């Protein structure tokens, strides 16, 4: 058996056609360009992307495994509908995850001042950009910046699983907002709650950061989940 020289170097990272199609479809679903319930015509997408149906089919299978599209025998593939009852579980999960993320990010920052340096300035830059977006009334940019803020915190924990869970929850909320847009009057409270997280991080107390992050998630859940709960009062 021939020994493979693993230390000789790595193969270059090249994305397959299926990966590229997946990324485009994923982005279209996340942004609402492809609406919940909209049919995915694989022939049309193959022509639009200039590929065969094989990479489109592979991308669709991946999206289906993530719950973003639904395949039925007689109706084909459609973008998965928003489950208004399930969204309450998303908000409850965010409350638990955000508190844990805040604590671990703060602990990492305190364990290494070198790591604390880029975390706070990076979060504050995002925070300042959000203030400018609120003043400009740019709802689309606000949503992107809000996701970046929470993504930066999750990445600072050092745990890939928490980053992935955060991404999944952010995506679920983003898709929910396609059918239930966030009230623009709520954004100043988001900024105030982000500021509380930043102040707690600056103070260096992980427990305070965790509580500020948890309260932020709980506060926004009460506001954003209300329409879902009114639409699905049977949700528990």
């Amino acid at each position: 058996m021939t020994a493979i020289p693993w230390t000789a170097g790595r193969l270059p990272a090249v994305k397959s056609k299926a990966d590229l199609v997946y990324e485009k479809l994923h982005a279209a679903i996340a942004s609402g360009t492809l609406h919940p319930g909209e049919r995915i015509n694989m022939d049309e997408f193959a022509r639009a992307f200039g590929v065969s149906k094989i990479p489109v089919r592979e991308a669709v299978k991946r999206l289906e495994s993530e719950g973003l599209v639904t395949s039925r025998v007689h109706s084909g593939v459609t973008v998965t509908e928003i489950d208004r009852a399930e969204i309450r579980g998303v908000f409850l999960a965010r409350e638990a995850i955000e508190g844990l993320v805040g604590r671990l990010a703060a602990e990492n920052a305190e364990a290494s001042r070198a790591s604390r340096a880029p975390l706070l300035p990076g979060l504050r830059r995002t925070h300042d950009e959000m203030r400018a977006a609120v003043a400009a009334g740019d709802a689309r940019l606000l949503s992107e910046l809000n996701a970046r803020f929470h993504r930066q915190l999750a990445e600072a924990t050092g745990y890939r699983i928490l980053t992935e869970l955060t991404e999944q929850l952010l995506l679920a909320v983003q898709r929910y907002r396609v059918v239930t847009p966030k009230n623009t009057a709520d954004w100043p409270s988001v900024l105030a709650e982000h500021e509380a997280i930043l102040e707690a991080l600056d103070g260096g107390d992980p427990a305070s950061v965790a509580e500020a992050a948890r309260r932020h998630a709980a506060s926004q859940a009460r506001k954003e989940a209300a329409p879902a709960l009114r639409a699905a009062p049977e949700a528990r």
Side-chain angles (χ1 to χ4, degrees):
M1 183 175 179
T2 304
I4 300 175
W6 296 110
T7 58
R10 295 183 178 181
L11 293 172
V14 179
K15 291 183 179 179
S16 68
K17 289 181 179 179
D19 288 335
L20 295 172
V21 172
Y22 164 82
E23 289 176 0
K24 287 182 177 293
L25 291 176
H26 188 283
I29 293 170
S31 66
T33 303
L34 286 174
H35 288 273
E38 187 168 347
R39 188 168 181 272
I40 303 290
N41 188 313
M42 286 190 269
D43 289 334
E44 289 183 3
F45 278 107
R47 287 193 294 271
F49 295 141
V51 298
S52 70
K53 286 191 292 185
I54 294 174
V56 177
R57 190 178 297 116
E58 291 177 2
V60 165
K61 284 182 179 179
R62 185 174 170 188
L63 292 166
E64 185 175 11
S65 72
E66 296 173 353
L68 294 177
V69 302
T70 302
S71 178
R72 293 187 176 89
V73 176
H74 298 296
S75 56
V77 180
T78 58
V79 177
T80 302
E81 298 278 4
I82 304 299
D83 187 339
R84 291 177 180 271
E86 184 65 22
I87 199 66
R88 182 170 184 256
V90 171
F91 290 122
L92 289 172
R94 281 201 71 189
E95 184 175 343
I97 293 296
E98 291 292 340
L100 177 61
V101 162
R103 178 173 65 79
L104 292 174
E107 287 176 354
N108 276 354
E110 284 305 300
S112 172
R113 292 288 174 169
S115 68
R116 187 182 181 194
L119 175 59
L120 269 173
L123 286 171
R124 286 212 172 272
R125 279 194 296 273
T126 301
H127 188 59
D128 290 342
E129 289 180 44
M130 286 188 72
R131 287 189 184 280
V134 167
D138 193 335
R140 181 193 61 79
L141 181 57
L142 274 167
S143 182
E144 292 177 4
L145 291 171
N146 183 62
R148 186 204 297 174
F149 185 93
H150 290 282
R151 190 177 293 119
Q152 286 172 305
L153 271 174
E155 290 172 350
T157 68
Y159 290 102
R160 179 174 55 84
I161 184 63
L162 290 177
T163 301
E164 291 176 354
L165 287 171
T166 297
E167 289 287 358
Q168 290 175 21
L169 293 170
L170 288 171
L171 175 59
V173 173
Q174 186 177 357
R175 292 195 66 228
Y176 171 64
R177 285 179 181 161
V178 170
V179 295
T180 308
K182 186 174 180 62
N183 189 333
T184 55
D186 290 340
W187 282 112
S189 69
V190 173
L191 287 176
E193 290 158 12
H194 282 188
E195 183 62 44
I197 294 172
L198 291 172
E199 289 177 1
L201 270 171
D202 199 31
D205 179 18
S208 295
V209 179
E211 181 59 15
R214 188 200 64 76
R215 287 189 178 188
H216 169 50
S219 170
Q220 295 307 309
R222 286 193 296 271
K223 296 171 183 175
E224 297 189 56
L229 296 180
R230 286 196 296 270
E234 74 284 359
R236 294 180 182 271

